[in-house]
């Protein structure tokens, strides 16, 4: 579905088109470096591979589901069960939720990349007794997908605690191993970070070469943080929730910052009014203020090149900081540069909002696969650009009743497909919440028992890392829901695969966790002759990496 949205879908399409033309992200303006660069790179890659974009996104999620189940292969000896677990993860209803997967949203691959990243780290750490080549393959995959994940959306830090737990698990398991193997495994564990640094360096170098901006995203530069963060920390008695820089703050800042004053005709004029109208507010809300702020800087003539733009933001930040230091402005301490200030009135909202967000994640509500009623928007040349870059056929832009009549069988097929997918969504809505609750109770029981016995199984740690990811993302979304905007449904999509994976890992831990861990040779033996399973060599449970002993 093509849309005329220059800050979302159309931005990625235009950037991918520029990459395909060999012009990196295209002409420099206030939108060029506002979002991570991997999604337009992914769109370009799909074009080069001659794979329609929407099909490629579904194939990628199918691959991620396979990788997640394959990661725990050493613990499951029943292939039919692996297949069922794969289907359970594959049929995640939010993988076919419309219009999310029908529009050019980076969320369509963001959750998939998160699942791939976590699964590759998990697969790497669960194969401590496998050949180094096998561990290295998982490490390379972890590095590639971590790099893609990290440069797709800006809140990717939510997965870091989970990965650190797995990293601690890996290094803890090196104790007692021969020195040469411990060194080799350590190298594998560090490899993903090296790949991430390398990929990040390449993106920074490209942006510096084309735009004189030495970062992947312009809003992460010290200059932009100085200016934007300076505005966010100015105090006002007229503050309002979801309005990060109220009109009173802007008026005070115009008086002390000549640089910020240059934006006054635009922020307080037609440009600012346009964003207010889009939000239906009497002031510019947090969801739109950063766009209005950067649009105003562009209107003032400061987006001709990256160097002058960063100098502009640096001057503004210095003027605001000086006014704060001299007492001309009442300012909070600079805790963060991109999130609105935290007010004491927010504390009573913290827990209710957090549990509301968590409930929304676990409940799997609001799934729809029906494309009827949706249509493309924009002039014909924009729709043609969508179709050319994505290799997809856009939905018709004509109003209902004016389109060319479609064959009856085609309409029937679309209707039946939507019904089947919607029914799957309904089943998950019924099944997932109680399964998650049971898994959570079972996880607490296994964890408590493990702590009591001072011996924790690997799958228990894996389940804890998965749950930590879900809870961390819910916390970040809670902060956004309290300080910035209440519409966080799109950002929730990364949590749904992790919820399903948590259920799977706890189930494996409960039913298969006590069984001996299988080394690579044992897995190969089982694959060659299932009838010889009872006679193959098994590792002793106490000496296997399946258990982590907790020191006194």
């Amino acid at each position: 579905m093509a849309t005329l949205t220059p800050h979302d879908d159309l931005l990625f399409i235009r950037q991918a088109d520029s990459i395909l033309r060999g012009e990196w992200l295209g002409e420099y303006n206030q939108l060029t470096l506002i979002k991570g660069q991997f999604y337009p790179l992914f769109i370009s890659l799909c074009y080069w591979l001659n794979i329609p974009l929407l099909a490629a996104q579904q194939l990628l999620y199918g691959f991620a589901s396979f990788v997640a189940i394959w990661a725990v292969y050493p613990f499951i000896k029943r292939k039919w069960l692996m297949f069922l677990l794969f289907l359970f993860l594959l049929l995640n209803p939010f993988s076919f939720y419309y219009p999310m997967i029908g529009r050019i949203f980076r969320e369509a691959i963001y959750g998939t990349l998160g699942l791939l990243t976590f699964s590759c780290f998990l697969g790497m750490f669960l194969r401590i007794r496998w050949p180094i080549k096998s561990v290295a393959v998982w490490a390379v995959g972890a590095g590639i997908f971590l790099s893609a994940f990290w440069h797709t959306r800006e809140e990717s830090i939510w997965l870091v605690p989970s990965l650190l737990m797995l990293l601690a698990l890996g290094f803890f398991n090196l104790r007692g191993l021969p020195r040469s193997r411990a060194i080799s495994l350590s190298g594998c564990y560090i490899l993903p970070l090296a790949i991430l640094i390398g990929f990040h360096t390449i993106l920074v170098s490209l942006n510096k070469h084309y735009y004189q901006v030495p970062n992947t995203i312009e809003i992460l530069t010290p200059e932009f943080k100085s200016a934007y963060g300076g505005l966010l920390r100015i105090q006002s008695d007229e503050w309002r929730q979801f309005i990060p820089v109220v009109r009173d703050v802007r008026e005070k800042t115009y008086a002390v910052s000549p640089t910020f004053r240059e934006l006054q005709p635009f922020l307080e004029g037609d440009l600012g009014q346009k964003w207010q109208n889009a939000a239906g507010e009497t002031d510019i809300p947090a969801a739109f203020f950063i766009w209005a702020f950067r649009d105003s800087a562009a209107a003032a003539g400061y987006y001709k090149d990256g160097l002058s733009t960063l100098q502009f933001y640096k001057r503004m930040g210095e003027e605001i900081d000086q006014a704060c230091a001299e007492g001309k402005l009442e300012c909070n301490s600079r805790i963060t540069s991109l999130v609105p200030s935290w007010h004491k009135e927010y504390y009573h909202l913290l827990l209710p909002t957090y549990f509301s967000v968590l409930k929304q994640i676990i409940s799997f509500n609001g799934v729809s696969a029906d494309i009827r009623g949706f249509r493309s928007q924009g002039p014909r040349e924009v729709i043609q650009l969508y179709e050319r870059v994505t290799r997809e056929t856009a939905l018709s832009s004509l109003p209902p009743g004016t389109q060319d009549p479609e064959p009856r069988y085609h309409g029937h097929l679309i209707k039946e497909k939507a019904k089947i997918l919607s029914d799957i969504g309904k089943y998950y809505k019924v099944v997932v919440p109680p399964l998650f609750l049971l898994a959570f109770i079972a996880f607490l029981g296994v964890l408590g028992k493990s702590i009591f016995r001072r011996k924790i199984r690997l799958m228990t740690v894996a389940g804890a890392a998965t749950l930590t990811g879900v809870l961390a993302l819910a916390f970040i979304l809670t902060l956004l829901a309290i300080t910035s905007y209440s519409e966080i449904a799109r950002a929730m999509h990364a949590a749904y695969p992790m919820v399903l994976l948590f259920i799977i890992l706890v189930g494996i831990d409960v039913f298969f966790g006590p069984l001996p861990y299988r080394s690579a040779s044992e897995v190969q033996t089982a694959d060659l002759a299932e009838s010889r399973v009872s006679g193959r060599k098994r590792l002793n449970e106490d000496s296997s990496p399946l258990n982590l002993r907790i020191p006194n």
Side-chain angles (χ1 to χ4, degrees):
M1 179 172 67
T3 61
L4 195 61
T5 48
H7 300 82
D8 277 313
D9 313 45
L10 188 54
L11 172 63
F12 297 124
I13 290 295
R14 286 172 171 167
Q15 289 184 335
D17 182 60
S18 296
I19 292 173
L20 293 170
R21 295 175 184 274
E23 301 169 357
W24 190 215
L25 301 175
E27 181 182 354
Y28 180 70
N29 56 44
Q30 71 272 28
L31 302 178
T32 306
L33 298 179
I34 187 66
K35 296 184 178 182
Q37 283 100 61
F38 181 75
Y39 192 43
L41 283 171
F42 177 78
I43 297 173
S44 305
L45 177 63
C46 294
Y47 180 90
W48 285 325
L49 295 176
N50 199 27
I51 304 176
L53 177 62
L54 303 187
Q57 291 174 170
Q58 293 299 314
L59 289 173
L60 184 65
Y61 182 73
F63 175 69
S65 301
F66 171 80
V67 170
I69 301 304
W70 191 258
V72 296
Y73 182 43
F75 289 86
I76 306 176
K77 59 182 180 180
R78 297 178 178 84
K79 292 184 177 180
W80 62 267
L81 180 58
M82 289 185 62
F83 180 70
L84 291 181
L85 295 178
F86 167 73
L87 287 181
F88 178 66
L89 195 55
L90 178 69
L91 295 179
N92 167 21
F94 284 95
S95 67
F96 49 78
Y97 169 64
Y98 210 87
M100 180 64 67
I101 56 94
R103 291 184 58 178
I104 312 304
F105 282 153
R106 51 186 176 167
E107 288 81 4
I109 67 167
Y110 183 62
T112 301
L113 294 174
L115 179 62
L116 278 167
T117 300
F118 182 85
S119 300
C120 285
F121 271 88
L122 181 61
M124 175 175 62
F125 293 127
L126 292 183
R127 283 161 174 76
I128 190 172
R129 293 197 175 187
W130 288 53
I132 290 296
K133 289 184 179 179
S134 177
V135 180
V137 169
W138 286 93
V140 171
I144 292 173
F145 295 122
L146 175 61
S147 301
F149 173 76
W150 195 260
H151 295 93
T152 299
R153 282 187 62 90
E154 293 69 55
E155 74 275 10
S156 299
I157 194 172
W158 64 267
L159 192 58
V160 171
S162 300
L163 300 184
L164 289 177
M165 291 180 68
L166 295 180
L167 190 64
L169 165 67
F171 280 106
F172 189 91
N173 265 329
L174 296 180
R175 300 185 311 164
L177 293 180
R179 183 178 180 182
S180 60
R181 181 164 181 84
I183 293 175
S184 298
L185 288 173
S186 297
C188 290
Y189 296 164
I190 296 173
L191 184 58
L193 181 60
I195 294 175
L196 172 63
I197 293 173
F199 186 76
H200 181 83
T201 302
I202 291 173
L203 293 180
V204 170
S205 300
L206 286 169
N207 291 338
K208 187 175 182 180
H209 173 74
Y210 280 91
Y211 311 118
Q212 296 82 50
V213 177
N215 212 314
T216 54
I217 305 175
E218 189 184 278
I219 62 175
L220 297 181
T221 59
E223 294 85 354
F224 184 84
K225 287 183 176 181
S226 175
Y228 194 76
L231 291 171
L232 294 180
R233 71 190 189 106
I234 299 173
Q235 297 179 9
S236 173
D237 294 333
E238 300 179 11
W239 75 271
R240 292 164 53 193
Q241 188 181 16
F242 304 139
I243 309 295
V245 185
V246 295
R247 186 171 286 105
D248 174 59
V249 167
R250 300 199 299 272
E251 294 295 339
K252 292 178 180 178
T253 310
Y254 294 141
V256 298
S257 172
T259 304
F260 184 60
R261 195 183 306 135
E262 295 182 49
L263 307 186
Q264 185 175 10
F266 310 104
L267 278 175
E268 311 307 328
D270 293 340
L271 192 152
Q273 189 62 49
K274 179 193 72 173
W275 286 107
Q276 291 180 40
N277 294 340
E281 295 283 351
T282 58
D283 207 337
I284 308 174
F288 295 152
F289 183 78
I290 193 170
W291 303 106
F293 178 64
R294 293 170 64 84
D295 284 353
S296 297
Y302 284 105
Y303 267 94
K304 296 178 181 178
D305 63 85
L307 187 60
S308 62
T309 301
L310 294 183
Q311 289 175 347
F312 166 76
Y313 287 131
K314 182 180 180 181
R315 289 196 308 272
M316 185 189 303
E318 290 174 346
E319 291 167 0
I320 294 174
D321 287 345
Q322 182 178 354
C324 292
E326 294 176 354
K328 296 178 181 179
L329 294 173
E330 295 184 26
C331 304
N332 297 316
S333 58
R334 189 189 290 271
I335 299 176
T336 176
S337 300
L338 297 175
V339 179
S341 297
W342 184 266
H343 298 274
K344 61 181 181 180
E345 289 81 0
Y346 292 161
Y347 283 108
H348 77 279
L349 298 175
L350 192 56
L351 285 180
T353 305
Y354 182 75
F355 286 115
S356 175
V357 170
L358 200 56
K359 179 181 178 182
Q360 191 173 347
I361 290 174
I362 298 169
S363 63
F364 273 59
N365 275 327
V367 180
S368 174
D370 196 351
I371 68 171
R372 292 174 296 177
F374 292 99
R375 59 191 180 93
S376 296
Q377 301 173 358
R380 184 57 194 164
E381 56 269 20
V382 170
I383 297 177
Q384 288 175 340
L385 177 63
Y386 272 84
E387 293 181 331
R388 181 173 66 252
V389 174
T390 66
R391 297 187 183 273
E392 294 279 2
T393 301
L395 293 178
S396 174
S397 60
L398 299 175
T402 62
Q403 305 172 13
D404 294 333
E406 61 183 16
R408 183 177 179 182
Y409 64 81
H410 181 72
H412 177 73
L413 176 63
I414 296 297
K415 181 180 179 180
E416 288 302 312
K417 285 170 60 178
K419 182 179 182 302
I420 292 173
L421 294 176
S422 296
D423 286 344
I424 292 174
K426 292 177 182 177
Y427 295 143
Y428 272 72
K429 180 181 176 181
V430 172
V431 170
V432 170
L435 280 181
F436 181 86
L437 182 60
L438 288 174
F440 182 69
I441 295 173
F443 167 75
L444 292 180
V446 172
L447 181 62
K449 183 178 179 181
S450 300
I451 294 175
F452 178 76
R453 293 184 174 182
R454 299 186 180 277
K455 188 167 60 175
I456 300 180
R457 298 196 293 257
L458 287 185
M459 293 307 297
T460 306
V461 179
T466 313
L467 181 62
T468 298
V470 175
L471 298 180
L473 180 56
F475 180 73
I476 291 176
L477 296 180
T478 297
L479 296 182
L480 289 176
I482 292 176
T483 64
S484 300
Y485 40 83
S486 58
E487 181 50 54
I488 55 175
R490 277 170 56 179
M492 280 187 183
H493 278 246
Y496 299 119
M498 299 295 285
V499 168
L500 299 180
L501 185 60
F502 173 71
I503 295 172
I504 290 172
L505 294 181
V506 173
I508 294 173
D509 191 22
V510 171
F511 294 104
F512 299 97
L515 298 179
Y517 172 85
R518 300 188 296 166
S519 66
S521 60
E522 292 174 314
V523 172
Q524 293 169 359
T525 302
D527 289 342
L528 292 174
E530 193 67 25
S531 61
R532 301 177 184 176
V533 170
S534 60
R536 76 177 185 266
K537 178 183 177 182
R538 291 185 179 274
L539 302 173
N540 183 272
E541 182 179 354
D542 290 334
S543 62
S544 117
L546 189 62
N547 301 293
L548 305 178
R549 293 191 178 277
I550 304 175
N552 293 322

